[in-house]
Amino acid sequence: MYYQELIQKFWESGPKAQLGTTGVAIYLYLLKLANDNNGYDVTVSDVAIADTLGITRKTVKSARESLRNSGLVQYESKNGYSCSYRIVLNYSLPIQKQEKKQKLKIKHNSQASIAEKNENLPSVDLSAINTPETTEQKETASFDNRVRELFKTISIPSLEEFMAYAYMLSGYEVSMDSDIKEKYALWTGNDWCNNLGKPITNWKSSLKNLLPYIKNKADNGPLSLESIPTIKPPK
C-alpha cells in the first residue's frame, strides 16, 4: 500500500479521534520515515522523534503505546537501542460511539454542576486576573504548530524534475510529453491536489500510476470531426 493511501485510510477510518495530537503526529512521522525507506519497517530512537517533533521522551513512550493499542503499529524496544517499528496495513478502528457519548454526558454534568455553584459566588473582575500558561499548554501549542508544518512538507517538483522522472518510467513515449506537462500544470494550478481535491503527497507514485492512461490517450489521439466516419442512410 502506498504512503498516500495509508494517510488517506488513517483520516477516513477514525483512529485519530482516539490518539490526540501527539499520537497523530508521531504516526504521520513514522509513515514519512517508512516512505523514505521504501518499506514498512522503521528504526528510530525516542530522542530523534522527540527532537524532531519538539516533545519529551516520556511523551513519545506514552504515545507509541497508544499507537500499538490502537493497532496502527507494532514495535520492539530494548534499553540502549533504537526502537523498531512496523507499520500495520490492515487495521480496523471504528470510533467507540458509546464511550464517546458517555464522556460527553460526564462533561455535561460536570459543567452544569460548576455553573450552579458559580451562581452563588460573588461577582469578580476576571480582567484583572492573569492565568499563567502551564508547561503542558506551551508544549501543546508548540506541538500543534509542528503538526501543521508536517503537513506542509509535501515536496512539489519543478517542471524539469517532473519531466525528468517521467523520462525514466517504463512505458514513456515522446508523444506523451504534452499530456504530462498538462497534468503538471493542472496539479500546480490546483495547489498540488488531485481531481478530488486531496493533496498529492507522493507525486512520483501518482505520475507512475497515471502513465498508462496518458499512453492510452496518446495512442487513441484526440477526437476530431475528420475522424468521425460518414454514415449514409439506406435507400
Side-chain angles (χ1 to χ4, degrees):
M1 185 176 293
Y2 292 113
Y3 172 63
Q4 182 177 359
E5 294 174 343
L6 281 170
I7 292 179
Q8 185 63 32
K9 179 180 178 182
F10 176 69
W11 291 127
E12 292 177 351
S13 60
K16 61 185 182 300
Q18 304 173 16
L19 296 176
T21 53
T22 305
V24 170
I26 291 180
Y27 180 68
L28 293 176
Y29 182 58
L30 292 176
L31 282 184
K32 179 184 181 302
L33 295 180
N35 182 62
D36 293 342
N37 294 336
N38 196 28
Y40 304 113
D41 294 312
V42 175
T43 300
V44 60
S45 67
D46 294 348
V47 175
I49 296 177
D51 289 345
T52 300
L53 300 179
I55 55 181
T56 63
R57 292 178 61 187
K58 183 178 180 180
T59 304
V60 173
K61 292 179 179 179
S62 176
R64 76 178 176 209
E65 289 180 4
S66 297
L67 291 173
R68 180 178 62 183
N69 294 337
S70 299
L72 291 169
V73 301
Q74 298 173 349
Y75 71 83
E76 182 179 353
S77 178
K78 295 181 180 179
N79 291 333
Y81 295 90
S82 297
C83 188
S84 299
Y85 296 87
R86 173 72 178 179
I87 304 297
V88 177
L89 304 183
N90 299 319
Y91 61 84
S92 177
L93 285 176
I95 300 177
Q96 302 298 326
K97 296 183 179 179
Q98 192 63 33
E99 180 181 351
K100 187 175 181 181
K101 289 181 180 179
Q102 186 67 20
K103 289 182 179 179
L104 289 175
K105 183 178 179 181
I106 294 174
K107 182 178 180 181
H108 175 74
N109 293 338
S110 177
Q111 290 176 341
S113 177
I114 292 173
E116 184 178 352
K117 291 179 180 178
N118 288 340
E119 290 179 355
N120 301 321
L121 294 177
S123 178
V124 179
D125 184 8
L126 297 179
S127 62
I129 301 176
N130 293 323
T131 303
E133 188 176 20
T134 65
T135 302
E136 182 179 357
Q137 289 174 328
K138 291 180 180 179
E139 180 177 311
T140 300
S142 174
F143 184 70
D144 288 342
N145 290 333
R146 291 179 179 272
V147 172
R148 295 188 188 97
E149 291 300 322
L150 193 61
F151 284 105
K152 295 180 182 179
T153 58
I154 300 175
S155 176
I156 300 179
S158 63
L159 178 59
E160 291 75 14
E161 183 182 357
F162 193 79
M163 295 303 298
Y165 179 73
Y167 299 154
M168 298 169 55
L169 295 175
S170 60
Y172 163 79
E173 296 178 1
V174 178
S175 59
M176 303 179 191
D177 277 5
S178 60
D179 290 315
I180 295 175
K181 291 178 181 179
E182 180 181 348
K183 180 60 66 176
Y184 177 84
L186 179 64
W187 287 351
T188 303
N190 200 27
D191 295 330
W192 210 244
C193 293
N194 59 23
N195 295 335
L196 300 177
K198 300 185 183 302
I200 302 170
T201 57
N202 190 335
W203 64 267
K204 291 183 178 181
S205 175
S206 298
L207 178 58
K208 184 177 180 180
N209 292 336
L210 281 173
L211 201 66
Y213 300 97
I214 295 176
K215 182 178 187 303
N216 184 56
K217 179 180 177 182
D219 290 343
N220 293 336
L223 182 64
S224 64
L225 292 176
E226 290 78 6
S227 65
I228 301 176
T230 301
I231 302 175
K232 295 181 180 182
K235 297 180 179 180

